[in-house]
Amino acid sequence: LETLVPPTIGKWKFVTNSGLVVPPDDEWSDTIYSQLLTRVYSDGENPPVMLLIAQSALQTGVLQVHRPEVCYPTGGFSLSPVVPHPVQIGSTTLLTNSLVAVGGGITESIIYWTRIGDSLPLSWLQQRIDVARQNLRGILPDAVLVRVSIRQGNTETARAILNDFVRALLAA
């Protein structure tokens, strides 16, 4: 992931790789994730955009990537409801999820999606079903969680910035 994701994404430039909410550090984390990339990017005008990409070599009914609904509450954040959030990428729409995490004086708007094998499940339940279906076919699928977030109190402004970043990320 370090070489796959460039240091410049559109108008954003890599600043640091610290300061992000990361998956809980527990006995499963080392087993679940093959790679974990955390980066903060700045365009010099808006609050920095935080990028987390967690890759897992295999998903079973027991081991699955942690979605933000797991990581953020562990870090002391309360969450808004998760809502579907389509991001227009040219003539294609990427179906993502959006939510807001609040804690410790921080308001963080989040957009994320997961890929399990060849599917893009929007919910935890659908993720578990997709893993089970593939496991029943004898496949231990790989998985990726991509999360972009920004500490910006205005959710509408935050989502617009994150949509632009996601489009630039996928173009890069």
Side-chain angles (χ1 to χ4, degrees):
L1 292 175
E2 286 289 333
T3 57
L4 179 66
V5 179
T8 299
I9 295 175
K11 63 183 182 178
W12 290 271
K13 303 210 180 313
F14 171 75
V15 178
T16 185
N17 58 5
S18 64
L20 282 76
V21 174
V22 296
D25 189 18
D26 56 27
E27 70 271 10
W28 296 108
S29 292
D30 291 338
T31 307
I32 294 172
Y33 300 111
S34 305
Q35 298 182 74
L36 182 65
L37 176 78
T38 60
R39 290 195 182 160
V40 177
Y41 289 85
S42 176
D43 68 359
E45 297 174 19
N46 296 295
V49 173
M50 296 169 279
L51 169 67
L52 178 138
I53 302 176
Q55 190 268 335
S56 175
L58 58 96
Q59 298 290 283
T60 68
V62 176
L63 300 176
Q64 294 190 33
V65 293
H66 290 123
R67 299 164 76 88
E69 299 91 315
V70 173
C71 302
Y72 279 82
T74 301
F77 288 84
S78 60
L79 303 178
S80 70
V82 177
V83 295
H85 179 78
V87 178
Q88 196 64 39
I89 314 279
S91 62
T92 303
T93 301
L94 174 63
L95 297 177
T96 71
N97 285 314
S98 180
L99 68 149
V100 176
V102 178
I106 295 170
T107 299
E108 190 168 324
S109 292
I110 302 160
I111 293 175
Y112 78 93
W113 66 94
T114 58
R115 183 192 51 75
I116 308 293
D118 57 3
S119 67
L120 295 167
L122 282 177
S123 69
W124 178 251
L125 175 61
Q126 189 60 51
Q127 179 175 316
R128 294 185 61 81
I129 291 169
D130 288 344
V131 168
R133 280 187 185 140
Q134 292 181 56
N135 287 172
L136 288 171
R137 292 189 341 236
I139 300 168
L140 294 176
D142 70 321
V144 174
L145 167 81
V146 179
R147 184 186 84 205
V148 293
S149 60
I150 190 169
R151 292 181 177 161
Q152 161 63 266
N154 183 312
T155 304
E156 196 170 307
T157 300
R159 287 182 181 153
I161 294 167
L162 293 174
N163 288 347
D164 288 344
F165 183 84
V166 167
R167 283 190 278 274
L169 172 66
L170 295 177

